[in-house]
Every structure is written in C-alpha cells, then in structure tokens.
Amino acid sequence: MLRKLCKVEPTQKSRLMNAIFMLSNSKSSSVLFECANTIIQLTTAPSAIKIAIQSYLALLQDQNDNNVKLIVLNKITVLKKKYGKILEEYISDILNIIREDSVQSVEINQKVLELVTDLASNRNVKEVGLFLENEIYKAKKMTDTANKKSADGESKAADKSQISTSSTNEYRFLLIKCINQISQMFPETIPQMIFPLMDSFLQFEKKGSMASLETIIFIREVVEIYPQHRQ
C-alpha cells in the first residue's frame, strides 16, 4: 500500500518513506521482507539501502526455512550488482549465515560462498581468509564425527551419517572452489589456505573424491605459479 501511495503521491514520498523505515523495525518476517523490497524499489539513497540490507540479513538470521533463506539470498545477490560496496560492509553478517551451521543446506552455502567471493576486497579479505581457514577445519571435524557415528551406530544412524558426510563433502568441494578464486584475486592469502588444505583435505579425504582432486589441482597451480610456496 505504501509503495503504491509513493508512486501515486510523489510529493508525499519523504513522509511515506519514514513510515516504511519505522516498519522495518517490525518483528514480523513478512513485514520485514516487504519493507526491504519496497525500499529497494523506491530509492537509491545509501542510508536507505543499508536499512533494506539489514532487514534481509535479519531475516536470514531468524528464519529456519531454507526456502525463505534462498529467496532472501537471491534478493541480496541482485543488490550486489548495484550496491556491492555497501554490501562489503556487511561481510561479517553474510559469513555468519554459514557459521551457524556449515551444512544446513549445500545450496544456501553455495550462494553464500559465491556472494562472499564477489564481495571480497582489500578491506575484508583478511576476515574472509580467516573464515575459510576455520571452515576447512570445521568441515574435517564434521566428517570425522559423521564417520565415527557411522562406525559405531546402528543402521538408521549410519544412513543419517552417510547423508551428513555426503553434504559435508559437497561443502568441502565448494570451499576449495571459493579458496581457489580468492587466492587468485589475493595471492597473499595462499599461505593461510594451503597448509590447512593439505592437512585436512589430502591426508583425510577419500582418494579420487571431487574435494581431493580439486585440492590437488589447486596446490599444483600454486606451486607452478608461486615457486616460493613449494617447500
């Protein structure tokens, strides 16, 4: 309704936008979503865009429905094209989407990693590098735990562990792809990445898996292009 009024009565836009900003403090997910969408459609002011982004991020933190999260992530991805510099300020919040649970959804994690790769910059690459390093070790730990449950548990528990391991392996593969892209853009992150990868994804990964193959390719490219990392 407010969106329509802004278009019908453009002279009242400022007053109506203030009402929308007030509604962005709502605890209702549907209200938050509509407020963010309305703001994006009606203005390009950086301060307003930040309110919209904050509303989307609040939805991602509060929602348990992965379908809703995917919709919101798609909205943020669209914003990246025009408001990438503003989104860079929220890299910590975007990373927290994965930190909550590394394998909540492979599709969600893929979208987040793609977004993080596109938003990586000189001012946030240290934080992104630390996040990826921690996720490497977390993925290994989750696989070790799943394998132990599979070995010790009964058939139902073993089936659940196999599903968990499969999701974690997919996530490892996505991690390596992201690391490869980040290291190409920011070679200074290579030392931070290469040793955790060798420790976690080569020594403990099943031979011939996509994650291990991608790791081998990445390490081979690194030592060919950067001789200083051969030792």
Side-chain angles (χ1 to χ4, degrees), residues 2-16:
L2 289 174
R3 188 187 312 170
K4 291 180 180 179
L5 284 173
C6 284
K7 293 179 179 180
V8 174
E9 298 286 345
T11 57
Q12 300 296 316
K13 182 176 177 180
S14 178
R15 183 173 63 85
L16 294 170

Side-chain angles (χ1 to χ4, degrees), residues 49 72 147:
I49 297 302
V72 176
N147 288 339

Side-chain angles (χ1 to χ4, degrees), residues 118-161:
D118 291 336
L119 295 177
S121 65
N122 288 323
R123 62 176 175 172
N124 62 34
V125 70
K126 288 185 178 179
E127 182 177 4
V128 172
L130 181 61
F131 162 79
L132 292 172
E133 181 183 4
N134 290 336
E135 288 301 300
I136 291 169
Y137 288 120
K138 185 189 293 185
K140 175 188 175 300
K141 184 177 179 181
M142 293 178 73
T143 298
D144 290 345
T145 301
N147 288 339
K148 187 176 185 302
K149 288 181 179 179
S150 181
D152 298 341
E154 297 178 357
S155 58
K156 288 186 179 180
D159 290 342
K160 189 175 181 180
S161 294

Side-chain angles (χ1 to χ4, degrees), residues 136-137 139-140 143-144 169 172-173 176 179 193-223 229:
I136 291 169
Y137 288 120
K140 175 188 175 300
T143 298
D144 290 345
N169 286 340
R172 285 185 175 197
F173 178 66
I176 297 166
I179 289 167
M193 307 294 184
I194 195 166
F195 295 111
L197 279 176
M198 292 175 69
D199 179 51
S200 299
F201 286 12
L202 285 183
Q203 294 185 32
F204 301 96
E205 186 75 34
K206 290 183 179 180
K207 292 182 179 180
S209 71
M210 291 298 293
S212 64
L213 290 174
E214 192 73 15
T215 303
I216 291 169
I217 292 171
F218 169 70
I219 293 173
R220 185 179 64 187
E221 289 178 351
V222 166
V223 297
H229 296 304

Side-chain angles (χ1 to χ4, degrees), residues 184-196:
Q184 288 180 30
M185 294 186 292
F186 306 96
E188 65 271 22
T189 63
I190 290 174
Q192 187 179 10
M193 307 294 184
I194 195 166
F195 295 111

Side-chain angles (χ1 to χ4, degrees), residues 81-145:
K81 299 174 184 178
K82 192 173 182 179
Y83 305 107
K85 290 296 181 183
I86 297 177
L87 276 170
E88 285 179 19
E89 299 176 20
Y90 296 93
I91 197 74
S92 295
D93 300 283
I94 294 170
L95 293 174
N96 277 332
I97 300 168
I98 286 184
R99 283 177 181 146
E100 293 299 321
D101 182 354
S102 285
V103 288
Q104 58 186 340
S105 163
V106 172
E107 190 174 1
I108 287 174
N109 290 343
Q110 181 177 4
K111 286 186 176 295
V112 172
L113 290 176
E114 288 173 351
L115 187 59
V116 167
T117 301
D118 291 336
L119 295 177
S121 65
N122 288 323
R123 62 176 175 172
N124 62 34
V125 70
K126 288 185 178 179
E127 182 177 4
V128 172
L130 181 61
F131 162 79
L132 292 172
E133 181 183 4
N134 290 336
E135 288 301 300
I136 291 169
Y137 288 120
K138 185 189 293 185
K140 175 188 175 300
K141 184 177 179 181
M142 293 178 73
T143 298
D144 290 345
T145 301

Side-chain angles (χ1 to χ4, degrees), residues 33-90:
F33 186 70
E34 286 303 320
C35 280
N37 291 343
T38 301
I39 291 169
I40 296 302
Q41 292 183 27
L42 295 179
T43 182
T44 59
S47 58
I49 297 302
K50 287 182 180 181
I51 292 174
I53 292 172
Q54 290 164 8
S55 297
Y56 285 140
L57 291 171
L59 283 171
L60 287 171
Q61 293 297 331
D62 295 338
Q63 277 292 324
N64 294 320
D65 188 330
N66 285 340
N67 291 323
V68 174
K69 286 187 175 183
L70 285 171
I71 292 171
V72 176
L73 277 170
N74 286 333
K75 291 286 186 179
I76 294 176
T77 300
V78 171
L79 289 182
K80 174 194 65 180
K81 299 174 184 178
K82 192 173 182 179
Y83 305 107
K85 290 296 181 183
I86 297 177
L87 276 170
E88 285 179 19
E89 299 176 20
Y90 296 93

